[in-house]
Each structure stands twice: as C-alpha cells, then as structure tokens.
C-alpha cells in the first residue's frame, strides 16, 4: 500500500515537469554539415580575353618589382648621405626604402594574383586523422614503461628513488643563489642622496650650478635645483646623483601654507621638494602657480604644494619628500642635511 | 699730545657710524643715480598724456572687473605692480579683455591697437613698479640655441613640450603651443608668469638665458624635423595612432584581398 502510494507520487512529480508542448528540443532538424561550397567558374577560365588580361596584370606586378629594385639602386647613389646635412639622411632612407619595398611588394602581390587567377582552383579536401594513437600503439607504449620500471627497479628500490627526488629538487637551487648576485647590489644608495654628502650644501640652479639666494626667489616662481657641485661630477655618476637629488624650489605666500612642518622646513614661504615622483620616479615638474598643484607628466599624479605635497590625484600613494632648507650667512639657500626618507618610488626593502 | 695720540689710535666710537653712513650714502646715491638714469631713459617715451589715455582706456574696458584703481575685485586680481610687460602680454595676445569665464583665458583676436596697448601698459606701470616690456636687444634671436634648449627642457618642456608644441594640465587648463607666439610675448610670459604659469624672473633665468630660450624656440621652428613628419610633435600618442590606423588598416585590407576568391 505504502509502496503503491510512493509510486503514484513519483508519477505525479514527473507529470509536473512534462514538457509536452512547444518546449522540447527538436533533435531531428539540427544543422547539417553544409559540405563544400559549389565550385564557381572564374572569368579567367571562361574567357581567353580575361585570362590574357590576368597574365598581363601578373607580369605588370613583377615589372613594378623590377622597376622598384632598379629605383632603389639608383636612389642610393642619387641621394647620398651627407655628414653635414641631417635631412639628407631622411631623403636617402626614404627613397631607398620606397624602392626596396616596391621590389618586394611587386613579387608578393604578383605571385598571389597569379595563383588566384591563373593556377587551377579546384577545391580539394584532405581528411584529418585522429590524434589518439591506435590501441596497439598505446599498449606497446605502456609495455615499454612497465618493462623499464621492472628492469630498473624504480618502484621497488625506495632508497634510490627518494634520493633521486631529493637530488632533482635541490639541483636548481644554486642557480637561484647565483642569480641573486647578478648586477651591482645597490646597498643603501637608494636611501641617500647628494644632499647628505656634506652639511649645508647650497641649492644651485640646474643645469648651470649657480647657487640661489633666498632673495632671488619670488612668490610664484619655480627653480629647478641640484646640489652645488653636482654639475662638476663625471658623467655616469653625475646622472645617477641627479636622478636622486633633483629638487623643485617654489615660493608660496607663507599664509597659504597649510602644514606646519612644511612651513618650518622652508624659509619664509620658500619650500623645496624632491622632484622624483613616488609612483615610478618620473620628474614631477608641472607646477600650477595658482592652484599650487604639482603634476607628474607620466601618470598624472597630482601633489598639493600648499599641503606638504600630499597626493590629491593619481596613482602615487606617498607625498613627495620635503628637503629642509635654511639660509647661510651670505644669504644663500642651503640644505642642512639629506631628505628624511628615501626619495622616489617604493623598493623592496623600503618600509611603507 | 699723549691724549690726542691715544684718541686717534683708539678711534672715536662715532667713527664707525660715520663710515657706515658714508658708505650707505655712496652706495645708495649711486644706486639712485643708476636707476634714475635707467628709468629716465625708459620714461622718456612715456609722457603724462599717454598715461592719461591709458587710464581712460582702462576705465572703459578693464575697470568693471579689475576695479576703478586696478585694485582688483572678487572677479579679477589687482593689477598694481604687475608691470607693463603683463599688460602687453595679456592684451597683446588677445587674452584680455577676457571673453568668458573658464578654466583658462583663451587666445583670441587682439582687441586693441598696439598704441592703445602701450597706453594701457603705461598706465598700469605708473601705479607701481613691475616688469617692463623687453627691449629689442633681448628679442633678437642671436643667443645660444643649444644652451637655450637645455634650459627649455629643464624649465619649460614639462608643460610646453620639448619643442614648444604645448600640452594639457589639470581640469581643462593647458600650456599653450609656442609655435606662433612672438619673441616679445614669450619673454613677457617668462617675466610675469601669466595665469597658472610660474614666474621665471631675471634672478632665476637671466635676460641672456631668456634670449637663448627664444633663440632655441625659433631654431626648432625654422629647422624641419629630420625624422620625417612631426605629426604635431605630440609624441607617442599621435605617432601610435597613425601607425596603428595606417599600418593595421593596410594589413587588414591586404588580408581581405588574400582571402577573397578571384572573379
């Protein structure tokens, strides 16, 4: 009795989900393989006139190639490169390149046009074979593996197997140790700039290296600054130092500065900030006099100079480091020491 | 006698004061003489009538925003101390009188004759000292273009582009192209720092440095690019756009042709 009622219930359930009308997927009418398109006879096969025209076109394309190559040889001598005139190089390479590319282009287009119009165009199909091997091939392969395992005793000899695994795992490790020493180790050079090399380095104009007096800096003006003496360094070393020590010097109305630390580290509204963006190290130098915004040209990070260079827009996450400045006995601006934090983008060992 | 010797050897306490006073008189006097010589030669051209004309023009055209005495209002800054160079730049390039408020004043056809601009400049310059309109000597393109180029790349190129093609700033502001800007207006812009441009006073870039920069800008305009068409000198964006559209377009056309059957 109970069994019967269960069966009845089951039946009713099925009945509820019976897609009898309209919703069933019709399987008989599925899209069939359309097969190969019916062959279409080309004009060049139907009319001799068209065939001859196509042959002439192919020959013309090859002739263009010949002319292009000859033109390239002629142009090489006709437009020589003159050491004293830079535009002669442009003319020389322009016509040489034009000739050579015509030479190659004519051959390529001619060959394709030839194949498309004159060579046989009957459709041919090649059946693909299965990627999977036959049963016999698969069985033979497995037999080889089984035999190798049996003869070497790989599954049986635990000690050998485990030491081999260990050897294979350790083998690449020396390479990692080796790679860690590729290139010079920057040591702590990322944490120090030329400002810290000696006390009271004068702020100097980039690129001339002339020191700047506090009285030279008007409100609203921008100075691009290097440490005095940097311009006298040797070339590769000089660029490395400049890349870290470049500073932007700006004078604001002291009342516009909203940050106490910024005012204290400056001199009467004159403030100096690192020019190296804290995002990826581009020189931040687009200064808007009225908004006090400092803009990085690479990714549009924007820093507010009136508020300790805090980030107001863009991908940078840290404010630009401020360089503390003072005035020496002769009225020149000097930096008593280095930046308080590493300048520029984050690096592996840098905290925060 | 002994007293006298002692007095002379130890010097009177007043001696130092007298020496300082004499020094101040000499240096101050010579400074006044020197500046008087300079200003008198400059002022020679500007008579009171011109200043009066300038004041009338100012009251008719500028005072509604800048105030009747150029003291500034909520809508426009004070012009006291901006100097003749500022007026000559703003009015001479058509930026002033301003046409509409916006992120930045636009260049438009110049609204005044040069003599009227000179009169306006003379009036504003008469209010307080400020940067003067540069003389021809600084504008002759006879400087060192190579040094000018280096200075331009360090001080100007981040906004105005390495060859002065201009570029975008924040919120609709932009650094204009310097292609068709006259040497005088470039010089005046450096001295006065119009709108959001910082000031590059003579204590930062000397007049000779400014001449070098103007010479450089003239040089890059007159000498064609050796690398082919400049595409507006807008850098990788314009070059990339052309390369992708022209090259990729060409490749697509050739690919379609390769795949098409012959008729």
């Amino acid at each position: 009795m109970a069994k019967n009622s269960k069966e009845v219930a089951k039946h009713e359930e099925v009945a509820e989900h019976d897609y009898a009308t309209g919703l069933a997927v019709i399987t008989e009418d599925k899209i069939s393989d359309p097969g190969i398109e019916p062959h279409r006879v080309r004009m060049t096969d139907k009319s001799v006139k068209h065939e001859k025209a196509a042959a002439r076109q192919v020959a013309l394309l090859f002739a263009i190639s010949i002319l292009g190559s000859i033109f390239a040889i002629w142009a090489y001598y006709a437009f020589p490169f003159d050491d004293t005139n830079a535009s002669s190089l442009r003319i020389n390479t322009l016509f040489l390149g034009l000739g050579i590319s015509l030479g190659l282009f004519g051959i390529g287009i001619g060959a394709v046009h030839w194949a498309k119009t004159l060579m046989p165009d009957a459709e041919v199909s090649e059946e693909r074979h299965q990627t999977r091997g036959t049963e016999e091939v698969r069985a033979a392969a497995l037999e080889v593996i089984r035999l190798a395992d049996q003869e070497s005793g790989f599954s049986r000899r635990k000690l050998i197997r485990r030491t081999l695994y260990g050897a294979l795992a350790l083998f690449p490790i020396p390479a990692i140790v080796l790679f860690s020493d590729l290139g010079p180790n920057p040591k702590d050079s990322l944490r120090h700039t030329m400002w810290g090399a000696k006390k009271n380095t004068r702020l100097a104009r980039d690129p001339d290296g002339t020191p700047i007096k506090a009285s030279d800096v008007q409100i609203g003006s921008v100075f691009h600054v290097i440490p005095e003496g940097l311009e006298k360094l040797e070339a590769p070393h000089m660029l490395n130092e400049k890349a870290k020590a470049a500073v932007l010097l700006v004078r604001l109305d002291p009342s516009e500065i909203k940050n106490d630390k910024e005012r204290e580290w400056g001199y009467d509204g004159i403030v100096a900030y690192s020019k190296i963006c804290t995002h990826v190290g581009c020189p931040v130098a687009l200064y808007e006099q009225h908004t006090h915004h400092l803009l990085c040209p690479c990714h549009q990070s924007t820093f507010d100079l009136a508020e300790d260079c805090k980030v107001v827009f863009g991908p940078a996450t840290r404010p630009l480091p401020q360089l503390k400045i003072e005035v020496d006995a002769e009225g020149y601006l000097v930096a008593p020491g280095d930046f308080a934090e590493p300048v520029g983008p984050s690096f592996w060992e840098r905290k925060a | 006698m002994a007293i006298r010797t002692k007095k002379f050897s130890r010097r009177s306490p007043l001696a130092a004061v007298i020496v300082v006073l004499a020094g101040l008189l000499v240096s101050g006097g010579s400074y006044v003489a020197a500046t008087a010589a300079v200003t008198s030669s400059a002022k020679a051209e500007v008579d009171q009538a011109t200043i009066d004309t300038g004041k009338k023009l100012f009251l008719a055209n500028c005072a509604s925003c800048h105030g009747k005495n150029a003291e500034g209002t909520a809508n426009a800054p004070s012009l006291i101390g901006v100097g003749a160079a500022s007026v000559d730049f703003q009015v001479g390039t058509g930026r002033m009188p301003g046409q509409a408020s916006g992120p930045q004043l636009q260049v438009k056809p110049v609204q005044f004759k040069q003599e009227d601009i000179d009169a306006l400049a003379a009036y504003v310059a008469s209010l307080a000292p400020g940067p003067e309109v540069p003389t021809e000597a600084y504008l002759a393109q006879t400087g060192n273009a190579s040094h000018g180029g280096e200075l331009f790349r360090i001080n100007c190129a981040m906004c105005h582009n390495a060859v002065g093609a201009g570029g975008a700033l924040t919120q609709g502001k932009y650094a204009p192209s310097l292609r068709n800007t006259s040497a005088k207006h470039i010089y005046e812009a450096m001295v006065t720092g119009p709108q959001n441009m910082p000031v590059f006073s003579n204590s930062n870039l000397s007049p000779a440095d400014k001449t070098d920069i103007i010479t450089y800008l003239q040089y890059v305009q007159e000498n064609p690019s050796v690398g082919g068409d400049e595409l507006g000198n807008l850098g990788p964006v314009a070059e990339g756009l052309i390369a992708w559209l022209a090259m990729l377009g060409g490749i697509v056309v050739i690919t379609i042709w390769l795949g098409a059957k012959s008729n």
Side-chain angles (χ1 to χ4, degrees):
Chain A
M1 187 65 190
K3 198 182 171 190
N4 256 353
S5 67
K6 219 179 203 174
E7 266 179 10
V8 169
K10 208 175 176 185
H11 233 87
E12 276 168 359
E13 256 173 51
V14 172
E16 274 172 30
H17 298 283
D18 189 7
Y19 306 109
T21 48
L23 289 171
V25 177
I26 301 160
T27 50
E28 290 79 16
D29 242 11
K30 68 179 175 191
I31 298 167
S32 58
D33 178 2
I36 297 171
E37 224 180 307
H39 182 73
R40 191 167 52 95
V41 184
R42 295 175 299 189
M43 283 307 286
T44 45
D45 293 331
K46 283 189 278 192
S47 106
V48 183
K49 200 182 98 188
H50 280 86
E51 191 195 335
K52 282 188 172 166
R56 277 198 303 275
Q57 285 160 5
V58 173
L60 182 72
L61 284 162
F62 289 153
I64 287 174
S65 165
I66 293 169
L67 287 177
S69 298
I70 293 171
F71 177 79
I73 298 167
W74 172 76
Y76 182 77
Y77 292 105
F79 305 103
F81 173 46
D82 171 13
D83 276 350
T84 55
N85 180 8
S87 3
S88 69
L89 178 65
R90 177 176 57 161
I91 305 290
N92 180 279
T93 49
L94 173 68
F95 286 115
L96 194 60
L98 215 60
I100 293 173
S101 49
L102 263 185
L104 195 60
F105 194 72
I107 294 173
I109 297 290
V112 173
H113 194 53
W114 182 7
K116 279 167 59 163
T117 53
L118 297 173
M119 290 186 195
D121 69 336
E123 289 84 359
V124 178
S125 60
E126 265 181 281
E127 295 295 332
R128 270 188 225 152
H129 66 82
Q130 259 192 330
T131 321
R132 189 180 192 270
T134 59
E135 285 306 322
E136 296 88 75
V137 171
R138 290 158 70 87
L142 281 176
E143 180 59 22
V144 168
I145 291 168
R146 197 193 59 78
L147 218 74
D149 181 42
Q150 193 192 16
E151 287 176 3
S152 63
F154 188 77
S155 305
R156 193 157 40 85
R157 299 183 193 278
K158 264 189 192 168
L159 182 67
I160 290 182
R161 197 172 73 229
R162 285 178 184 170
T163 46
L164 178 62
Y165 285 155
L168 287 173
L170 274 171
F171 175 70
I173 305 291
I176 295 172
V177 177
L178 215 64
F179 285 139
S180 75
D181 264 354
L182 283 183
N185 189 336
K187 303 208 175 84
D188 64 347
S189 64
L190 294 172
R191 297 178 189 278
H192 302 293
T193 71
M194 202 176 150
W195 295 107
K198 66 181 178 76
K199 278 197 113 186
N200 296 334
T201 313
R202 278 181 179 168
L203 278 71
R205 289 175 184 82
D206 185 12
D208 299 334
T210 47
I212 303 163
K213 280 191 168 171
S215 56
D216 291 342
V217 189
Q218 285 184 358
I219 287 184
S221 68
V222 159
F223 283 63
H224 296 266
V225 172
I226 51 174
E228 193 181 37
L230 181 129
E231 77 286 355
K232 296 192 191 81
L233 298 177
E234 293 291 316
H237 185 54
M238 188 268 258
L239 292 174
N240 283 342
E241 289 302 329
K242 190 174 182 179
K244 291 189 292 176
V247 156
L248 198 79
L249 186 77
V250 174
R251 186 170 205 154
L252 311 170
D253 188 329
S255 66
E256 287 178 316
I257 299 178
K258 296 173 197 156
N259 183 287
D260 290 336
K261 177 222 120 189
E262 177 177 357
R263 204 176 298 117
E264 278 163 29
W265 284 23
Y267 174 79
D268 199 19
I270 306 177
V271 289
Y273 280 91
S274 166
K275 213 164 106 178
I276 316 301
C277 188
T278 55
H279 174 222
V280 284
C282 290
V284 190
L286 287 79
Y287 177 60
E288 294 182 354
Q289 194 205 137
H290 293 293
T291 58
H292 307 308
H293 285 176
L294 197 54
L295 184 66
C296 181
C298 292
H299 307 101
Q300 284 71 49
S301 289
T302 308
F303 303 89
D304 190 350
L305 247 163
E307 225 174 310
D308 199 25
C309 271
K310 75 162 191 186
V311 184
V312 290
F313 181 80
T317 52
R318 277 179 286 116
L320 294 170
Q322 187 177 7
L323 181 70
K324 192 176 181 182
I325 52 170
E326 287 168 0
V327 171
D328 70 5
E330 290 168 71
Y332 288 104
L333 292 167
V334 294
D338 207 346
F339 291 99
E341 55 176 314
V343 299
S346 299
F347 48 93
W348 191 264
E349 299 88 349
R350 193 188 198 281
K351 290 193 181 71
Chain B
M1 197 66 197
I3 297 161
R4 245 180 124 176
T5 321
K6 196 184 171 191
K7 196 181 174 186
F8 267 92
S9 64
R10 293 191 62 190
R11 287 201 197 108
S12 158
L14 279 176
V17 178
I18 289 164
V19 165
V20 167
L21 273 178
L24 279 175
L25 268 177
V26 168
S27 58
S30 58
Y31 177 73
V32 166
T35 47
V38 171
T39 44
S40 67
S41 63
K43 285 259 164 71
E45 307 154 23
V46 182
D47 52 8
Q48 193 56 42
T50 316
I51 293 174
D52 290 343
T53 315
K55 178 157 192 178
K56 280 179 196 156
L57 284 166
F58 184 88
L59 287 172
N61 296 288
C62 320
S64 58
C65 295
H66 286 289
K68 271 190 248 174
N69 299 306
E71 75 278 19
T73 65
N75 298 324
S78 161
L79 299 183
I80 295 165
V82 299
S86 190
V87 178
D88 193 60
F89 175 84
Q90 299 282 1
V91 184
T93 58
R95 287 181 168 85
M96 277 284 157
Q99 198 166 34
S101 61
Q104 186 165 325
L105 287 168
Q106 309 283 326
V107 171
K108 62 177 184 295
V110 180
Q111 306 290 305
F112 292 91
K113 286 180 289 188
Q114 187 60 44
E115 56 181 281
D116 291 341
I117 297 172
D118 291 344
L120 271 172
Y123 166 66
V124 171
S126 74
L127 300 171
E132 288 176 16
V133 175
T135 59
E136 284 299 323
Y138 296 125
L139 308 179
Q141 278 107 38
T142 52
N144 180 345
S146 157
H147 184 238
E150 193 174 12
L151 289 171
F152 189 84
R153 283 189 293 277
I154 286 171
N155 291 287
C156 325
M158 62 293 275
C159 298
H160 284 289
N161 169 305
V163 291
L169 293 171
T170 62
Q171 309 197 339
K173 298 187 283 289
Y174 61 91
S177 164
L178 306 177
R179 284 281 162 72
N180 300 314
T181 312
S182 71
K184 183 175 74 164
H185 290 145
I186 293 173
Y187 192 101
E188 287 166 350
M190 286 190 270
V191 190
T192 61
Q195 304 194 45
N196 262 302
M197 175 171 162
V199 182
F200 293 93
S201 61
N202 288 345
S203 59
N204 186 357
L205 297 172
S206 70
D209 288 341
K210 291 187 172 78
T211 308
D212 287 352
I213 288 174
I214 289 166
T215 309
Y216 166 73
L217 285 171
Q218 193 66 29
Y219 178 86
V220 290
Q221 272 182 53
E222 284 171 0
N223 287 273
S225 156
V226 290
D229 196 284
E230 296 165 350
L231 300 173
N233 281 119
L234 296 177
V237 175
E239 287 166 11
L241 192 70
I242 297 288
W244 277 89
L245 285 185
M247 298 296 143
L248 207 65
I251 288 170
V252 167
V253 167
I254 289 173
T255 313
I256 291 171
W257 177 78
L258 277 175
K261 279 191 170 176
S262 178
N263 268 331

